[in-house]
Amino acid sequence: MRMYDIIMKKRNGGELSTEEINFFVDGYTKGVIPDYQASALMMAVYFQKMTERETLALTMAMAGSGDMLDLSEIQGTKVDKHSTGGVGDKTSLALAPMAAACGIPVAKMSGRGLGHTGGTIDKLESFPGFTTALTRGQFIENVNRIGIAIMGQTADLAPADKKLYALRDVTATVDNMSLIASSIMSKKLAAGADAIVLDVKTGSGAFMKEERDAKALAQEMVRIGKNAGRRTIAVISDMDQPLGYAVGNALEVKEAIETLQGRGPADFVELCLTLGSRMLLAGGKAETAQEAEEKLCKVIADGSALKKLAEFVEAQGGNGDAVYNTGLLPEAKIVCPIPAPVSGYINHIICDEVGICSLILGGGRETKENMIDLSVGLVLRKKVGDYVKAGEPLAMIHANDENKAEEAAKRYLKACSILDTPPVHTAFIKEIIT
Ligand code: URA
């Protein structure tokens, strides 16, 4: 078999056999197939697409390219949750302790932010001392003892995806449905959970800008999960504006803590309850979605979810006191408003642009090696549909550099459109695919 023939077959619109896909994944993981041939194949896939069979074969090959975690030593049904990525998406920070407080063992693998999207691990590192460098033994012990452990993608877990994702990121081949579906699902399958709840984002801050594409991605991932014998559910949710109000690592941690204190933004709470209820149903902790939501609301009201967050942070080396005293989280030196230039209704906020504002402030990475400033970001004051008077703050900038604050403010103003009439209301949860 030759890589050249595989590239040409796909370039010409052919369907690759499972053997050809295995040959590519195996050779690329071992470093026998060079980046330039893998890039050419990714671009051919981008234009010619993959069939369902090819996508499944690619997923299984990448999942099996390294260790497959065996979580059988963890009691109960392990449920993993994964988001396709967005702006202000701090869901795991609130949802993992909520689900754990309801008795669901959360054994989760998370990622770092890249481009305009944030990552759970960066956010968690806002807790001084927090680490995801756990041994397999510690990971399992923590889940059994406190109900949550979160680790990063190690070099041994789906290494083919790790290499390919980095390559796709610099060759403009990320936003292809089969490549995203196989990338996410290969990691989820290798990470060993019994059930998977997917949060598929759609809108200007998501990889899938159009709802029909997000739906196709969700259906593809659910199909892959089921074929691999894992119970898989996907929720399609809005990412046409940032989730909640806070965008930026420590700022999002603070908003997640406020949510666990019962003071969360409406869209964020709705998402946590929708995803959380699916986790509880999948894990056998509730019979109906309503019963599940009631249980989730209860663990917020009685403080047990907040306590679970503190326990989890402590168990991974972080300062759990910061859960009760958010002044211990990193804070930016400059906090300044972005005043509205005119009065009117917020019509649209170009969501990925808000992610880029956070990036400009130093809150995200442009390359995998960049250091990030955990304290900076934006806190929106007005969201789509809200009325604002000229001069009132649209958002507050949290920065450590005046020039960067000015640049981010200018960019934010361009991303935010204000009109005389209110916009048409659209549903936040678009669909649930089972
Ligand atoms: N998240 C992933 O893990 N992979 C992708 O391809 C896109 C988002």
Side-chain angles (χ1 to χ4, degrees):
M1 221 177 270
R2 289 193 323 148
M3 191 56 197
Y4 179 91
D5 300 328
I6 295 176
I7 297 169
M8 189 154 72
K9 186 171 179 188
K10 188 37 85 185
R11 187 201 70 184
N12 294 344
E15 183 175 351
L16 301 179
S17 67
T18 301
E19 291 70 33
E20 286 165 329
I21 290 173
N22 289 344
F23 173 83
F24 160 65
V25 171
D26 186 49
Y28 187 56
T29 311
K30 288 184 179 143
V32 179
I33 293 168
D35 277 349
Y36 51 81
Q37 284 190 312
S39 310
L41 182 64
M42 291 298 102
M43 194 54 88
V45 169
Y46 183 87
F47 283 113
Q48 296 291 0
K49 308 198 166 36
M50 277 185 146
T51 61
E52 279 173 26
R53 191 201 52 75
E54 285 175 297
T55 310
L56 179 63
L58 180 61
T59 311
M60 300 314 279
M62 293 203 297
S65 64
D67 293 346
M68 303 282 280
L69 269 190
D70 174 7
L71 300 182
S72 56
E73 290 162 54
I74 299 174
Q75 301 106 35
T77 307
K78 279 75 66 186
V79 188
D80 199 351
K81 167 258 157 199
H82 188 87
S83 153
T84 56
V87 179
D89 188 0
K90 70 279 300 173
T91 310
S92 296
L93 303 178
L95 186 53
M98 284 165 71
C102 291
I104 294 284
V106 181
K108 193 170 157 39
M109 200 188 68
S110 290
R112 293 192 181 274
L114 198 64
H116 73 275
T117 66
T120 302
I121 294 183
D122 295 327
K123 291 170 200 183
L124 282 167
E125 283 175 355
S126 303
F127 289 104
F130 187 91
T131 178
T132 50
L134 302 178
T135 63
R136 184 183 165 277
Q138 286 167 327
F139 182 75
I140 289 177
E141 211 264 313
N142 284 5
V143 183
N144 277 335
R145 188 164 53 84
I146 57 165
I148 319 179
I150 295 188
M151 62 170 183
Q153 183 180 5
T154 62
D156 306 329
L157 209 92
D161 169 66
K162 201 166 184 184
K163 263 186 104 173
L164 262 187
Y165 189 75
L167 186 77
R168 285 165 56 217
D169 194 47
V170 291
T171 54
T173 49
V174 170
D175 51 340
N176 168 273
M177 204 202 33
S178 293
L179 296 180
I180 296 179
S182 55
S183 164
I184 292 176
M185 292 306 289
S186 63
K187 286 181 285 231
K188 295 291 107 181
L189 298 181
D194 305 307
I196 302 160
V197 176
L198 299 161
D199 179 15
V200 180
K201 306 287 193 191
T202 179
S204 59
F207 287 120
M208 293 289 143
K209 310 278 180 223
E210 303 297 330
E211 204 173 314
R212 62 166 188 280
D213 295 335
K215 183 169 176 177
L217 173 64
Q219 286 169 332
E220 185 80 59
M221 291 196 289
V222 169
R223 224 180 346 250
I224 294 172
K226 292 213 165 134
N227 274 317
R230 314 289 171 92
R231 193 165 170 188
T232 309
I233 299 145
V235 172
I236 302 178
S237 71
D238 184 75
M239 190 34 78
D240 210 31
Q241 62 174 330
L243 181 62
Y245 291 96
V247 179
N249 298 289
L251 295 168
E252 291 184 42
V253 168
K254 206 166 161 215
E255 190 163 75
I257 290 171
E258 285 161 8
T259 302
L260 295 179
Q261 290 167 335
R263 297 182 285 123
D267 58 350
F268 184 49
V269 172
E270 185 180 352
L271 185 64
C272 287
L273 293 180
T274 307
L275 294 168
S277 60
R278 265 62 209 175
M279 290 175 79
L280 263 58
L281 288 171
K285 296 290 173 195
E287 296 290 320
T288 64
Q290 194 191 336
E291 185 198 344
E293 288 201 12
E294 281 166 11
K295 286 193 169 175
L296 291 160
C297 289
K298 184 167 174 286
V299 294
I300 292 181
D302 67 14
S304 52
L306 191 70
K307 187 161 166 265
K308 196 52 80 187
L309 176 65
E311 279 171 18
F312 153 64
V313 169
E314 290 276 347
Q316 296 201 202
N319 182 355
D321 292 346
V323 168
Y324 300 101
N325 175 9
T326 54
L328 296 173
L329 296 170
E331 284 181 352
K333 289 198 292 268
I334 306 165
V335 181
C336 56
I338 308 175
V342 292
S343 300
Y345 293 92
I346 311 294
N347 184 266
H348 189 215
I349 303 171
I350 307 172
C351 189
D352 47 6
E353 281 293 306
V354 184
I356 292 170
C357 290
S358 175
L359 205 75
I360 291 170
L361 293 167
R365 316 184 164 71
E366 302 202 43
T367 70
K368 279 205 145 98
E369 287 72 36
N370 279 171
M371 288 288 287
I372 58 176
D373 185 343
L374 296 167
S375 67
V376 300
L378 299 96
V379 180
L380 278 60
R381 285 285 181 85
K382 302 285 175 186
K383 294 206 28 172
V384 172
D386 289 345
Y387 186 80
V388 65
K389 282 197 201 136
E392 262 186 329
L394 288 170
M396 302 301 289
I397 294 232
H398 292 242
N400 284 317
D401 179 309
E402 302 249 356
N403 294 332
K404 287 181 182 172
E406 209 173 299
E407 192 188 339
K410 273 194 201 139
R411 192 132 182 177
Y412 190 86
L413 282 171
K414 277 201 194 138
C416 186
S417 61
I418 303 173
L419 297 182
D420 288 340
T421 47
V424 179
H425 175 77
T426 54
F428 174 71
I429 301 289
K430 311 287 182 196
E431 205 171 328
I432 298 177
I433 312 244
T434 55

